[in-house]
Amino acid sequence: MRAILVLLCFWFSVSAWANQLQSIRVWPSPDNTRLVLDMSSAPSYEYFTLQNPHRLVVDLKNTQSRVRFNSIANKSTLVTKIRDSKPEAPNSYRLVFELKSSVRPVLFPLTPAGDYGHRLVIDMPYTDGARVQQPLVQPVPPPQQAVRNTAPAGRKEVVIAIDAGHGGEDPGAIGPKKNREKHITLAISRRLADLINKEPGMRAVMTRTGDYFVNLNQRSEIARKGRADLLLSIHADSVANSGPRGASVWVLSSNRANREMAGWLEKQERQSELLGGVGEVISQTDGNPYLTRTFLDLSMDKSRADSYAISEHILSAMGKVVRLHKAKPEHASLAVLKSPDIPSLLIEAGFISNPEEERLLLTADHQQKVAQAVFNGVKSYYRQNPPSGTMMASQSTGRAQKHTVRSGESLSLIAQRYGVTMSRLKGHNSLRTDVVRIGQVLDIPGS
């Protein structure tokens, strides 16, 4: 009888406390602080904010806690203190986040994935008073800090946006030795930024400079705000089979491009901001859907053609120093590749799921090899195809240039790339029509 009473007491105790708060993780970034509450089961919660002083209060229903507040690693400039408080409802647990300024928090649960169980995520965007001031590019440890080489007055730099895949709550792929993709991508990205910033006439912008998560769509926005000529997203591949290995480069598939086009049309009121110069023209079309579609088609076609051409240069350079998984660019429907106005590539540095490549990807020597190869490919492309008005273009003025026509390119796109008129390009090459063939070699007249 006594044993039964003990079991009943235990059962009622478990029923009363159906959930458990196991830990709290804090991920500060330049734009927001993300708090992650690790739970033993799906959370049931309510929340509200208070002023004077600023606080966010979260009530977790039917929950008890095993968190030690003094062990929470908190580097956020927004969250000044995390503590508990007495809840109004029985069997609930109340968390209080003391804040530097007011917030409009966004809370949402996440189901188990990978090494993570149930989670409650709290995103708190910064106001100006709590914003983290971080440089766009951090120095690379342990080599040497990047030495900036600015272009002469009146000559623009070629800007390369570097996106270190994953970050923060998103670890990316996890290798056999439990190494996380997010750390490898950031290390390679920093090394690549260092090389770019040392090259006269080139400059790097990073979408993230630390261990935090950046929304996938926001990565292209950061590149756009940095006036990037190219977006490179660095990743490490992973499959269930530990056998595959080697690097690869991915570009946007035509199917994804067509689907994304519809999305851009629906957001016509924001296209001036999103599409740069093309957006300015679109804003003057009085909402003509056919003219709008034409401009978007031209912008996307040029972006995809440039992306493919750049990917060939990068693969050629990488193939000299690391193993390639695929010798040709591959096509995928990936969010980070969707920008219609910025050529965008996703580079898989290797397979973290392969034990040997996982080991290599963790070494400084291999990370430098990958970064150097990507840089060599990018520099090779822009030496041959310098954007008009840039320092690289001024260096190539007067030099004989040749261009081999690639798939997806037209005479108008080639003329635009080199900053010459179509009529001059046709006359210089004695062309009778505007039609060019894949593999045809064109002489580019000096600007």
Side-chain angles (χ1 to χ4, degrees), residues 173-176 237-244 350-355 357-358:
I174 299 176
D237 222 334
S238 178
V239 292
N241 180 2
S242 63
F351 281 81
I352 193 174
S353 54
N354 179 283
E357 286 208 334
E358 179 189 25

Side-chain angles (χ1 to χ4, degrees), residues 262-404:
W264 287 104
L265 290 169
E266 292 172 0
K267 300 176 181 177
Q268 185 167 333
E269 70 277 4
R270 295 184 63 238
Q271 284 170 349
S272 179
E273 174 188 356
L274 297 178
L275 302 183
V278 175
E280 294 178 6
V281 178
I282 291 174
S283 67
Q284 301 171 16
T285 63
D286 296 326
N288 185 320
Y290 301 105
L291 187 55
T292 299
R293 178 62 185 244
T294 300
F295 282 123
L296 284 171
D297 280 340
L298 289 173
S299 181
M300 181 68 88
D301 286 346
K302 183 180 187 306
S303 177
R304 291 180 60 222
D306 289 348
S307 297
Y308 195 89
I310 298 168
S311 68
E312 290 184 315
H313 280 258
I314 292 176
L315 280 169
S316 175
M318 293 185 76
K320 297 175 182 177
V321 295
V322 299
R323 180 195 293 260
L324 293 180
H325 182 63
K326 296 286 185 180
K328 293 289 185 180
E330 299 187 78
H331 296 79
S333 299
L334 302 171
V336 76
L337 302 177
K338 73 180 184 179
S339 176
D341 57 324
I342 305 174
S344 304
L345 308 176
L346 187 142
I347 298 170
E348 298 282 8
F351 281 81
I352 193 174
S353 54
N354 179 283
E356 176 60 20
E357 286 208 334
E358 179 189 25
R359 184 189 65 78
L360 282 174
L361 288 168
L362 291 170
T363 64
D365 180 64
H366 191 78
Q367 291 171 1
Q368 191 67 28
K369 281 184 179 179
V370 172
Q372 185 70 57
V374 173
F375 168 72
N376 289 345
V378 171
K379 184 172 72 170
S380 168
Y381 172 81
Y382 282 111
R383 288 294 185 195
Q384 296 181 27
N385 307 277
S388 178
T390 61
M391 181 179 175
M392 283 187 168
S394 67
Q395 292 171 344
S396 64
T397 299
R399 293 203 312 245
Q401 293 189 76
K402 294 185 180 294
H403 178 87
T404 303

Side-chain angles (χ1 to χ4, degrees), residues 107-265:
L107 284 74
F108 56 94
L110 289 177
T111 55
D115 289 350
Y116 295 116
H118 288 278
R119 289 153 289 168
L120 177 62
V121 177
I122 306 171
D123 279 344
M124 293 188 285
Y126 293 148
T127 61
D128 290 339
R131 188 172 299 278
V132 177
Q133 299 295 329
Q134 292 190 9
L136 286 175
V137 179
Q138 291 181 342
V140 183
Q144 57 185 2
Q145 184 170 341
V147 178
R148 295 292 299 114
N149 289 286
T150 57
R155 293 294 180 183
K156 298 183 297 183
E157 295 169 307
V158 174
V159 180
I160 310 299
I162 306 171
D163 172 47
H166 309 283
E169 179 64 7
D170 176 16
I174 299 176
K177 297 293 186 182
K178 302 302 181 182
N179 293 294
R180 285 163 163 72
E181 179 183 0
K182 65 176 183 177
H183 299 309
I184 293 171
T185 62
L186 183 59
I188 295 174
S189 295
R190 285 176 170 172
R191 294 178 183 278
L192 178 58
D194 184 46
L195 292 168
I196 290 172
N197 283 328
K198 290 176 181 176
E199 180 68 19
M202 297 183 74
R203 176 168 59 87
V205 171
M206 293 183 69
T207 62
R208 72 176 177 97
T209 56
D211 187 13
Y212 51 85
F213 179 76
V214 178
N215 181 278
L216 295 181
N217 291 325
Q218 190 181 357
R219 296 172 192 246
S220 294
E221 293 284 355
I222 294 172
R224 187 171 292 107
K225 290 177 180 178
R227 300 184 179 276
D229 298 284
L230 173 66
L231 171 61
L232 301 175
S233 188
I234 309 299
H235 287 256
D237 222 334
S238 178
V239 292
N241 180 2
S242 63
R245 56 185 303 185
S248 57
V249 180
W250 296 76
V251 296
L252 183 66
S253 69
S254 58
N255 289 337
R256 175 59 181 258
N258 293 335
R259 288 197 298 272
E260 289 299 332
M261 197 70 67
W264 287 104
L265 290 169

Side-chain angles (χ1 to χ4, degrees), residues 47 49 101-107 123-125 127:
Y47 71 94
T49 58
S101 61
S102 62
V103 297
R104 292 184 177 179
V106 178
L107 284 74
D123 279 344
M124 293 188 285
T127 61

Side-chain angles (χ1 to χ4, degrees), residues 31-42:
D31 295 314
N32 76 320
T33 284
R34 167 168 286 191
L35 299 159
V36 181
L37 280 55
D38 292 302
M39 313 290 295
S40 61
S41 59

